[in-house]
Amino acid sequence: MLNGKCALVTGGSRGIGRAICLALAKQGASVALVYAGNEAAAAETAALVQALGVPVKAYRCDVADFAATEALVKAVTEDFGGIDLLINNAGATRDKLIMRMTEADFDDIIAVDLKGAFNLIRHTSAAFVKKRGGRIVNITSDAGLMGNPGQANYASAKAGLIGLTKTVAKELGGRGVTCNAVAPGFIRTDMTAAMNAQVLESAEQFIPLKRLGTPEDVAALVAFLCGDSAGYITGQVLQVDGGLRM
């Protein structure tokens, strides 16, 4: 159980982020929900968390902004008395073949998906080290392990997130802080809902479990990694993809 812990979850308003907020709340964690722009979705998620009987507050923040994330961490620390669990889930896509990808297409996705995680880790790590404990979970992707046509920006960011995860695990492990990455495959979210139905049906045929994953499948692993039972697991990349990339 996570009673008395505070979880900061970026990209927490919808999809996998919402499921993570709820999974952690069900185990007793307070939730600092960070969103980029969809205030209505953030409010809906906050209401669902509040219904579970734990403190929750939504914060709007551009995770790519170093100064803004520093202010965010200070605000959450003041509101909740500290941060114990950091879930870097915020992400964006801007898919194009590399011959058509602009510099902004590449830079903007790197800024959110990779630099955003660095920013939050940078601003929380000192407190984690001081209290000799903390859990960091970074949401990467199968694309970061395998690459994916049309996603040079996204795959690069997610691959970089894996390197960041392993480095942080080595730097902070001696102070009782774990850092792991979760790599979802095809998960039923707004992102996959926008994909071609035939592409999704074809993908299911290559997944040994013969179905797409759910946000709850990912959230269950994140909640486990945040708990005491995962205290000796760090620097790992754990795939939630139904066996697709085994």
Side-chain angles (χ1 to χ4, degrees):
M1 298 299 289
L2 300 172
N3 295 322
K5 304 288 187 181
C6 172
L8 191 162
V9 183
T10 69
S13 63
R14 297 178 294 165
I16 291 173
R18 174 178 289 183
I20 291 171
C21 288
L22 294 174
L24 297 177
K26 287 176 182 177
Q27 293 200 18
S30 302
V31 176
L33 181 166
V34 182
Y35 68 101
N38 193 329
E39 186 174 355
E44 184 178 346
T45 301
L48 292 171
V49 171
Q50 189 172 38
L52 295 172
V54 298
V56 59
K57 185 173 181 179
Y59 302 81
R60 185 170 185 169
C61 181
D62 175 5
V63 298
D65 187 322
F66 188 83
T69 51
E70 182 176 26
L72 167 70
V73 169
K74 288 181 179 178
V76 174
T77 299
E78 290 175 1
D79 292 340
F80 289 90
I83 299 168
D84 305 285
L85 317 170
L86 171 62
I87 316 302
N88 287 306
N89 172 67
T93 58
R94 197 178 298 173
D95 297 353
K96 290 179 185 176
L97 293 175
I98 198 163
M99 290 187 294
R100 298 175 180 173
M101 187 172 289
T102 67
E103 182 180 16
D105 290 331
F106 191 86
D107 289 350
D108 291 350
I109 298 307
I110 295 293
V112 173
D113 294 26
L114 178 56
K115 184 171 180 284
F118 161 78
N119 287 343
L120 269 300
I121 294 171
R122 170 65 176 79
H123 297 314
T124 56
S125 58
F128 286 162
V129 166
K130 184 176 181 180
K131 65 184 177 183
R132 302 187 69 85
R135 297 280 190 269
I136 302 169
V137 182
N138 298 319
I139 307 301
T140 180
S141 168
D142 270 359
L145 293 165
M146 305 292 292
N148 203 29
Q151 291 191 317
N153 47 7
Y154 181 76
S156 296
K158 293 301 187 179
L161 199 53
I162 292 171
L164 177 64
T165 297
K166 293 179 178 292
T167 298
V168 171
K170 289 182 176 181
E171 287 191 6
L172 304 185
R175 296 298 182 126
V177 181
T178 67
C179 184
N180 292 288
V182 172
F186 284 99
I187 307 296
R188 290 196 181 279
T189 62
D190 291 346
M191 187 183 299
T192 53
M195 294 175 64
N196 184 288
Q198 290 183 329
V199 172
L200 293 179
E201 290 177 8
S202 176
E204 286 186 358
Q205 300 307 309
F206 291 98
I207 298 172
L209 291 182
K210 301 303 179 186
R211 69 172 178 88
L212 301 188
T214 67
E216 289 73 24
D217 290 327
V218 180
L221 177 56
V222 173
F224 169 73
L225 291 172
C226 287
D228 292 340
S229 297
Y232 201 57
I233 301 172
T234 196
Q236 302 304 304
V237 182
L238 303 167
Q239 296 168 249
V240 185
D241 63 5
L244 178 63
R245 305 294 187 187
M246 75 170 79

